[in-house]
Amino acid sequence: MSEAREGILGRLLATADASGPASPGQAAADGRTATHGGKANDDSNLDEFLKALEAVHGEVHRVGTDWPEVIAEMLAAARVDQLWYGANSPHGAQLQARWPSPSAGSELAGAVPRLKPFDKSIERCREALFADRSAGFTSAQAAIAETGTLILWPGPAEPRTLSLVPEVHCVLLEQSRIVPTLEDWMADYCQQADRPPLPTNLLLITGPSKSADIEQTLTFGVHGPKRLIVFLKNGN
């Protein structure tokens, strides 16, 4: 890790020490964090996150262990043809195991989208990846209640392409990973002794891609997905 990055992380830790309790036990005492603040604070974080995300045109759906079927049903209704995912990602096997068969399309509002593992170079799948009516699936490392922002941790098993290219981005988020602010997440992360280095391409996503450069008219999907759908999972 570079000296500059170490310096930034050191200042964040110093700020946390100066502004309030830093240990899990101390944080629970004043209810500052989602991970240590108890159910009341979890609910507060969730409410704030939902309001902030919906304000920037993000969509949220609560799911259980049936989340693959729920994703398939929503994408079928939206006439999405295919869903790209990381076959070796943390949730890839579960997504594949519970994905409905094509024959289930008769029970849904549309045809079941095809699952497409992202296991080739971008050069070999560029045309199919940029095709219309395509969606990408990723998980979220955490979420920020204050701004409705998702934190994604791209890697070889779940590359950032999945969240940037398809016109629909589906994200699986564990409710327990919602924290009040980015500062809280950074401070909590820096206190973990066995933490891996932060990736250089850490993604902060707040709503679908949008731009108002042309005549101040807000347009979605200009530089990335036009729909951001968060599937919020609570518990196992």
Side-chain angles (χ1 to χ4, degrees):
M1 184 177 295
S2 68
E3 293 183 4
R5 184 180 295 181
E6 288 286 6
I8 293 172
L9 296 179
R11 287 195 294 276
L12 284 169
L13 284 173
T15 300
D17 289 341
S19 61
S23 69
Q26 290 171 317
D30 70 357
R32 287 181 61 241
T33 72
T35 52
H36 307 302
K39 186 177 186 306
N41 202 48
D42 283 352
D43 292 343
S44 176
N45 291 337
L46 175 60
D47 291 343
E48 187 176 8
F49 172 74
L50 295 177
K51 290 178 182 176
L53 183 62
E54 290 170 356
V56 293
H57 299 271
E59 304 170 38
V60 180
H61 299 273
R62 298 173 190 252
V63 295
T65 56
D66 62 340
W67 59 267
E69 292 95 329
V70 176
I71 293 176
E73 182 177 355
M74 287 207 60
L75 296 184
R79 300 294 190 267
V80 169
D81 289 335
Q82 52 195 4
L83 175 67
W84 292 86
Y85 74 107
N88 297 318
S89 65
H91 303 287
Q94 188 176 1
L95 178 68
Q96 189 172 21
R98 300 198 58 157
W99 196 251
S101 66
S103 61
S106 59
E107 303 172 2
L108 304 178
V112 177
R114 299 185 300 277
L115 273 184
K116 300 281 288 186
F118 188 77
D119 54 4
K120 301 181 178 63
S121 67
I122 182 67
E123 289 76 15
R124 295 182 60 187
C125 61
R126 186 194 309 275
E127 186 174 347
L129 191 62
F130 280 84
D132 291 339
R133 299 192 295 182
S134 177
F137 170 81
T138 71
S139 56
Q141 177 76 14
I144 308 301
E146 183 179 49
T147 57
T149 300
L150 299 165
I151 300 177
L152 270 59
W153 191 296
E158 202 168 74
R160 63 184 302 186
T161 303
L162 296 175
S163 63
L164 296 177
V165 175
E167 63 181 25
V168 179
H169 181 197
C170 300
V171 185
L172 183 65
L173 170 66
E174 298 282 352
Q175 183 174 323
S176 61
R177 297 187 175 227
I178 301 175
V179 298
T181 67
L182 179 60
E183 178 191 8
D184 286 305
W185 182 76
M186 291 292 293
D188 185 71
Y189 182 80
C190 292
Q191 290 168 8
Q192 300 173 28
D194 58 347
R195 59 185 166 83
L198 286 171
T200 56
N201 59 348
L202 191 74
L203 293 180
L204 303 180
I205 297 176
T206 307
S209 171
K210 49 190 171 293
S211 174
D213 294 340
I214 303 174
E215 298 180 350
Q216 298 300 301
T217 301
L218 190 61
T219 304
F220 292 93
V222 177
H223 307 295
K226 65 174 59 175
R227 288 185 68 186
L228 174 67
I229 309 176
V230 177
F231 295 90
L232 189 65
K233 186 170 177 288
N234 188 8
N236 296 321

